[in-house]
Amino acid sequence: MKILFATSEAHPLIKTGGLADVSGALPRALHDAGHDVRLLLPAYAPLLRKAGAVIARSELMLDGARVRVLETRLPGSALVVWLIDHPLFSEREGNPYMSPSGHPWHDNPERFTLFCRAAARIATDQAMLGWRPDIVHANDWQTGLIPPLLSLEHNPPPSLFTLHNMAYQGVFDRSTFERLRLPWALWHDRGVEFWNNLSFLKGGIAYSRFITTVSPSYAREIQTPAFGYGLDGLLRERQADVVGILNGIDEQEWNPATDPYLPTGYTPESLDTKPRLKALLQAEMGLPVDEAPLLVGLIGRMVEQKGIDLVLEALNHILYLPIQVVALGSGERRFEDAFRALALAYPDRIAVRIGYDEGLAHRIEAGADTFLMPSRFEPCGLNQMYSLRYGTPPIVHRVGGLADTVIHASDENLAKGTANGIVIDNADTLAVGWAIGEALHLYRDRPDHWRAMQRAGMQQPFSWAESAGRYVALYKRMLG
Ligand code: ADP
Ligand code: GLC
C-alpha cells in the first residue's frame, strides 16, 4: 500500500512531544512491513539543519504562494521524507508552534493551511512527484484541513485521522477562515465550522473515513462531554468509525540493555545495576548520593494536563518522607517557576532542570526508582511506557493510555504477579501524596514485590509492529 503520512513533527527531525515519537516510529514500522510510505512534514529551519542531504523534488503554486517539495530520508532509516518548503517554515527559528514568549505564532493558521493545501495536492498527484497514495494518514489539528480539502478533489484517496490530543484544536475566528480563502463549501456544521469558528480538528474528524486515537480508553473518553471539548457529539455519531490503537514505543531507542545515554546497560536479570545509575543521576542533579530515599522521576511538558500543579502541592505536604525528586521539563512559566522555587527551598531533596534534554530523559527513566505521571487526561502517554521498560514502576492516574498500560499494585495483582505500578483513581493532591507513600512502602518494606513489579513492566510487549498491523487492517477496510 502507498501511504502518505502527514504530521507536524517527527523524531529525530523535530520534536516537542509524543506526536514526534509516534510520527518517527509508526511510518518506519509500516515501511518495515513492506508498505510504500512517504512522511510529509513542514521544512522548519531547525529541521533543515538536522536533516542530512536534501534535494528539491518539485515546486507548487498554492493560492499565490510558491512552495517547494524537498526530499530527504529519516535519519537512520530508508524512509522517504518530503518537506514543504516555504519561508513561513524555513525562515522561522525555535518551536514549531510557539514564539519564545510562549504564545502560538500569530500566523499558525496561514502556516498550517499552506501545509494542508500542499498535502492535498501531493495526495492527488498534482505535484509532479509521480506518486499517488492509496491512503492519507493525517495527525492532529495541524493536518486537520487535509481531509476536507481532499473531499473537494475529484476521486481523492480516503483519509484516516489520528487524534493525539483533543486539547489542541486549531480553532480560529470566521474572519481567519475568510482571510485564508478556504472554500465556502467547507463552511457548515458538518464541515469545518464550529460555533461560527473555523476548527481544523473538526475538519479532520468530519471528512475522514476512520478516526483513530492513541489508546482504547481515550477513544471512549472523548465520546463524553468531560473529554470531548464539544466534539463528543460528533464523535458519538461516528462511534463505529472511532478506533483506539495503543501506541507502541521505539524499542531500540528505549532499550535499557543498549541505551547509549547510560554508562552501563541492564536487563530484568541484572537489575542490581540500577542503584549505580541512581547514584549517578543523584550526582548529576546535585542531590546527595544515597540509596535509601525513594527517587521519584518526572519528565514532561509542564502544563495542567500533566498534573504538575498537583505534584507541586503534594510535595509540599509529604517532604517529611524519605524521598527525593528529579524533574525535567518545560512549559508554563508559573509551573517552571514553582518547581525552581521548591528546588531552591529543598536543595537536598528536589532537583529540577528546566529545558529539553534527550539524554537526561533517558538517565531519569533508568536512574529513578519510580516515575510520576498523574495526568488529568492522557491520550496515550509514552513516558509511563518508557519507565515500565526501564524497570521504574510508574505512578499514574487511571485515565486514557495510562489506564491501559499500568496495573495497580493491589494485594490481588501483587499476588498474581501482574502489578507493574501504582494507579490512583483521582487526579488530586491527596491521591498523589498517598501514591508516593505507597511506592515508598513497597520499595523499602516489600522489596520482593517491588522487584516483581519492575520485572513485570520490563517484560511487557510494547513493539510498534503490532500497533502498525492494526493501522494496516483499517487501511485495508478503507480500500475494500
Ligand atoms: P506528550 O506528547 O503529551 O507531551 P508523551 O508522554 O506522549 O507526552 O510524550 C512525551 C515525549 O517527549 C517523551 O518522549 C518524553 O521523553 C519527551 N519529553 C518531554 N519533555 C521532555 C524534556 N524536557 N526533555 C526531554 N524529553 C522530553
Ligand atoms: C499527545 C498526547 C500523548 C500521546 C502523544 C502521542 O501528545 O498528549 O498522550 O502519547 O500525543 O500519541
Side-chain angles (χ1 to χ4, degrees), residues 15-22 164-165 168 247 254 299-302 305-306 328-330 353-362 365 373 378-384 386:
K15 168 166 167 176
T16 71
L19 172 63
D21 297 59
V22 174
H164 296 263
N165 197 336
Y168 304 95
N247 287 333
W254 293 93
I299 304 164
R301 295 181 293 119
M302 292 196 172
Q305 170 186 349
K306 303 291 176 184
L328 164 66
S330 64
R353 182 81 55 83
I354 301 297
Y356 189 89
D357 187 335
E358 196 79 28
L360 181 57
H362 285 245
E365 293 289 6
M373 196 164 170
E378 196 58 82
C380 177
L382 298 171
N383 273 313
Q384 86 282 10
Y386 300 150

Side-chain angles (χ1 to χ4, degrees), residues 9 16-23 139-140 162-168 213-215 218 245-248 301 305-306 373 375 377-385 400-402 464 471:
E9 52 182 282
T16 71
L19 172 63
D21 297 59
V22 174
S23 301
N139 297 272
D140 276 357
T162 300
L163 299 165
H164 296 263
N165 197 336
M166 298 241 343
Y168 304 95
T213 184
V214 287
S215 70
Y218 194 62
I245 301 177
L246 192 71
N247 287 333
R301 295 181 293 119
Q305 170 186 349
K306 303 291 176 184
M373 196 164 170
S375 309
F377 64 93
E378 196 58 82
C380 177
L382 298 171
N383 273 313
Q384 86 282 10
M385 297 200 267
L402 301 175
W464 260 110
Y471 283 103

